[in-house]
Amino acid sequence: MGASTNNNAGAGATRAWLDQAVRRIEADFNRSADTHLIHLPLPRYPGIDLYLKDESSHPTGSLKHRLARSLFLYALCNEWIGPDTTVIEASSGSTAVSEAYFARMLGLRFIAVVPASTAAPKLDAIRFHGGEIHAVDDPRTIYDAAHRLAGETGGHYLDQFTYAERATDWRGNNNIAESIFAQMAQERHPIPAWIVCGAGTGGTSATIGRFIRYQRHASRLCVADPEQSVFHRHFADRGTTLLHEGTGSCIEGIGRPRVEPSFVPSVIDHMIAVADGDSIGAMRALSRRLGRGVGGSTGTNLWACLKLVEAMAARGERGSIVTLLCDGGDRYACTYYRDDWLSARNIAWHAAEATARVALGIPISG
């Protein structure tokens, strides 16, 4: 009888901790205003409106803040995380930054398994939020390393690549798709012709694609993908699931060498493969247009948007396109914004910047 009482007491204490953990995360959400939707006029295309959903304004500075919050809530409500659990994640940086933020909020140890090539500012941000770094030389080994660390510490591997598509409520509940359509309601073309995003885990594209179908919107979903990624190949041929050649893309946060479990190609209408140089050129042009830096994956999104704009204009179509400003440029000051870094990697970006500047109405001489 005594053992049963002790067990019940322990279970009660854990449940009380879980209740408080969920409350803290929900309170953090209530304190954070929704991210802005920025209208970006296109002088050369007066019938087409372009919008940027600015995810850099989250408390941890990127789109991944939404994912990290969902992953923690999912793990908590499944009771995979308790008051003494070490939390592990495999990440190229931004997801780990956001997860470190939530782990510290809950008083939990957090270890990020990252490729050694991850930009230093991202590593600094993980440490700033109390996270620890476990770097691996081969990016393909991050999964196994995360599993191993979880076993060694008795911790929990959040596994964004598996759980991203199921941790977020795609039917609504303030997800990114619901927010986009609510913010577009008073615009000239309130139902976007296209929504454009990238794919790292596949969670964001799955959420947006499912929401579009659930709400029966006419919008189509386009996923912009680095040329060196497997996702666009898998979209074209479901038999392709792994890349064996190439050095991979330099665009952090999107594109993968293997098809991740959270990537759902059936809810995607179109994919555009984007060269790294085009992503960097579009990123540089947009940074000039906004007066502040954006990250490389935002450049990937923008380049795909400009391709869609050209196609719509050629067909005489009018409408709106919404894409994501994924994170700010400060995390890439030592990489994408350094000409010598790009030259050392033979990334040709000047022509793409000139093209994007014309489309955005930025004087080439400026």
Side-chain angles (χ1 to χ4, degrees), residues 69-207:
R69 180 171 59 220
S70 294
L71 288 169
F72 264 89
L73 287 173
Y74 191 71
L76 286 165
C77 293
N78 282 313
E79 294 202 22
W80 295 340
I81 292 177
D84 301 312
T85 303
T86 295
V87 181
I88 317 290
E89 183 61 285
S91 168
S92 64
S94 288
T95 302
V97 172
S98 300
E99 288 171 341
Y101 170 91
F102 286 108
R104 184 170 67 175
M105 179 187 297
L106 303 182
L108 302 175
R109 181 188 181 194
F110 177 76
I111 304 174
V113 181
V114 302
S117 59
T118 300
K122 285 187 179 180
L123 303 181
D124 292 341
I126 293 169
R127 295 187 182 101
F128 173 80
H129 291 296
E132 302 170 31
I133 304 296
H134 181 91
V136 297
D137 292 327
D138 185 348
R140 295 170 297 182
T141 67
I142 60 174
Y143 317 96
D144 291 340
H147 277 295
R148 177 176 56 77
L149 282 173
E152 291 175 356
T153 62
H156 175 65
Y157 171 27
L158 284 169
D159 194 359
Q160 59 170 323
F161 299 107
T162 296
Y163 295 107
E165 59 89 10
R166 68 193 73 171
T168 300
D169 186 351
W170 50 267
R171 288 162 293 192
N173 194 26
N174 295 306
N175 69 39
I176 190 169
E178 184 177 55
S179 176
I180 286 171
F181 281 96
Q183 290 177 319
M184 286 292 295
Q186 303 303 317
E187 299 301 317
R188 178 169 62 154
H189 304 292
I191 302 299
W194 290 96
I195 297 178
V196 178
C197 69
T201 61
T204 299
S205 58
T207 296

Side-chain angles (χ1 to χ4, degrees), residues 4-5 9 61 67 108 121 163 192 303 305 307:
S4 175
T5 301
L67 173 58
L108 302 175
Y163 295 107
W303 189 259
C305 286
K307 294 299 181 183

Side-chain angles (χ1 to χ4, degrees), residues 12-78:
T14 298
R15 182 63 177 269
W17 181 87
L18 286 170
D19 290 347
Q20 286 302 308
V22 171
R23 180 194 62 77
R24 288 175 184 172
I25 292 176
E26 291 293 277
D28 177 79
F29 173 75
N30 287 335
R31 290 194 299 269
S32 304
D34 197 5
T35 58
H36 298 292
L37 188 67
I38 301 170
H39 180 214
L40 200 66
L42 301 174
R44 292 170 58 89
Y45 307 99
I48 301 174
D49 296 324
L50 179 61
Y51 298 84
L52 305 173
K53 179 71 167 160
D54 186 5
E55 296 294 285
S56 70
S57 59
H58 282 296
T60 54
S62 83
L63 167 67
K64 299 299 186 179
H65 192 85
R66 294 179 186 270
L67 173 58
R69 180 171 59 220
S70 294
L71 288 169
F72 264 89
L73 287 173
Y74 191 71
L76 286 165
C77 293
N78 282 313

